[in-house]
Amino acid sequence: MTEKTIEEMAHDYAVAQLSSGIGATTNDIEEFIKLACEVKKQAKKAQKNIAEDERRCRW
């Protein structure tokens, strides 16, 4: 799975919202960007923990 940028995720969200006929307001997109940033932050933290665990197991 390739890592998407926040901008790519926001774009995909806006396109999906508009395609569904629901529409997307600026506030919707801003909230999604905040969510996407938090998801990326948590994923990075989890990946770091996994890498540290793997490093410890090698010894």
Side-chain angles (χ1 to χ4, degrees), residues 3 5-6 14 24 31-32 34-37 43-44 50-51 55 59:
E3 186 174 323
T5 65
I6 299 299
E31 286 301 313
F32 180 76
K34 288 178 189 176
L35 175 62
C37 288
K44 188 174 182 177
I50 291 168
R55 214 174 11 252
W59 297 100

Side-chain angles (χ1 to χ4, degrees), residues 30-49:
E30 287 173 359
E31 286 301 313
F32 180 76
I33 289 171
K34 288 178 189 176
L35 175 62
C37 288
E38 184 62 27
V39 167
K40 284 189 74 123
K41 178 181 165 185
Q42 292 298 321
K44 188 174 182 177
K45 184 178 178 181
Q47 188 60 50
K48 181 180 175 185
N49 290 340

Side-chain angles (χ1 to χ4, degrees), residues 2-20:
T2 61
E3 186 174 323
K4 288 189 174 188
T5 65
I6 299 299
E7 293 82 4
E8 289 170 325
M9 286 190 262
H11 174 267
D12 291 350
Y13 170 78
V15 169
Q17 284 289 97
L18 294 171
S19 295
S20 70

